[in-house]
Amino acid sequence: MGVTFVSDRPYVLLKCAMSLDGYIDTAGPDRLILSNEEDLDRVDAVRAECDAILVGANTIRRDNPRLMVRSPARRDARVAAGRPATPLKVTLSRGGDLDPTALFFTTGEVEKIVYTTSNAVDTLRQRLGAVATIVDAGDPVSLTRVLADLAERGVGRLLVEGGSSVHTALLTAGLADELQLVVAPFFVGDRTAPRFVNDGAFPWTSTNRARLAEVRRVGDVVLHRYALSDRFA
């Protein structure tokens, strides 16, 4: 595929739901529901197979996600296999503007890790040190360094749930192995709303296409699975 991967990093799986015109939310304050219960259960199964879940700091501020395995049966199966009931929670923050009472930090008996710039480490440790592990990821934050550190912590499979900046950074750096893209049957029609990815130089072009591995109808949405590297599994 022409995409080089780093061997000492987790398998990186990107997950996103978008409208027919490529938007993942509206520009307003209310969260846009793109998926359905059937697909949410599918995502829950994917989460249960992963060692860590990563989102950007803006996703925490805007959506206040729990990022936990919802199914009791799946949590029990993880524990029976000697794993935490729910995956590690990971975020990236440049400025440290995160609320320690956010659900990301307060839900789930699992470690929460915040990767930040070198000059924000002390500030974040003062603000979040009681609820999270703060890790210096360079200045600016190095995704390669983040992934290598996660690998050292035993993360073999990383699920990335957004947002646009994180997806764009991983894709343009060639650090993603799989994309699970769900398309909802409606339009947003607002160019000020956030899209799946931002502008960038992506490895996959009209002459170097990603491999479509699966297309599946899930209720009223459609799942597309793309192989983005030779690590696809």
Side-chain angles (χ1 to χ4, degrees):
M1 295 182 190
V3 178
T4 302
F5 67 86
V6 180
S7 59
D8 59 344
R9 67 162 173 82
Y11 183 91
V12 178
L13 189 167
L14 274 56
K15 186 269 305 180
C16 184
M18 70 179 191
S19 65
L20 287 171
D21 49 349
Y23 293 96
I24 61 173
D25 207 344
T26 67
D30 296 330
R31 183 181 179 188
L32 178 66
I33 304 301
L34 288 147
S35 193
N36 55 45
E37 284 301 319
E38 187 177 351
D39 187 59
L40 289 174
D41 185 66
R42 179 195 66 81
V43 170
D44 195 58
V46 173
R47 283 181 176 177
E49 295 172 351
C50 294
D51 302 302
I53 303 172
L54 185 151
V55 296
N58 192 53
T59 297
I60 295 175
R61 287 189 289 266
R62 182 175 176 85
D63 297 339
N64 197 24
R66 295 175 183 271
L67 300 180
M68 296 174 60
V69 174
R70 300 191 305 172
S71 163
R74 291 180 182 128
R75 292 198 298 267
D76 290 346
R78 285 177 58 93
V79 172
R83 307 169 73 190
T86 198
L88 300 178
K89 299 183 189 183
V90 183
T91 190
L92 311 174
S93 176
R94 288 176 295 186
D97 183 19
L98 287 168
D99 183 352
T101 66
L103 294 176
F104 176 93
F105 298 109
T106 60
T107 58
E109 298 298 322
V110 67
E111 185 178 14
K112 292 86 177 178
I113 305 174
V114 180
Y115 291 96
T116 190
T117 55
S118 302
N119 60 7
V121 168
D122 290 342
T123 299
L124 269 180
R125 283 180 178 159
Q126 291 177 9
R127 177 178 296 176
L128 302 173
V131 294
T133 300
I134 312 302
V135 180
D136 184 345
D139 192 9
V141 168
S142 165
L143 290 174
T144 301
R145 186 165 166 176
V146 168
L147 295 177
D149 184 76
L150 287 172
E152 290 179 1
R153 295 173 186 271
V155 175
R157 192 173 182 88
L158 174 66
L159 176 62
V160 181
E161 298 201 16
S164 303
S165 296
V166 174
H167 281 152
T168 301
L170 287 165
L171 287 166
T172 55
L175 293 173
D177 302 298
E178 177 179 345
L179 169 63
Q180 295 188 4
L181 186 64
V182 164
V183 179
F186 58 82
F187 296 85
V188 170
D190 182 354
R191 64 180 180 179
T192 66
R195 301 182 67 91
F196 161 44
V197 291
N198 302 319
D199 293 345
F202 296 90
W204 306 277
T205 64
S206 60
T207 56
N208 182 43
R209 301 187 181 204
R211 178 169 67 87
L212 180 61
E214 179 187 3
V215 178
R216 188 197 326 165
R217 178 175 176 173
V218 187
D220 65 346
V221 302
V222 179
L223 166 67
H224 303 77
R225 289 182 68 216
Y226 292 94
L228 302 181
S229 81
D230 53 7
R231 305 175 86 195
F232 176 83

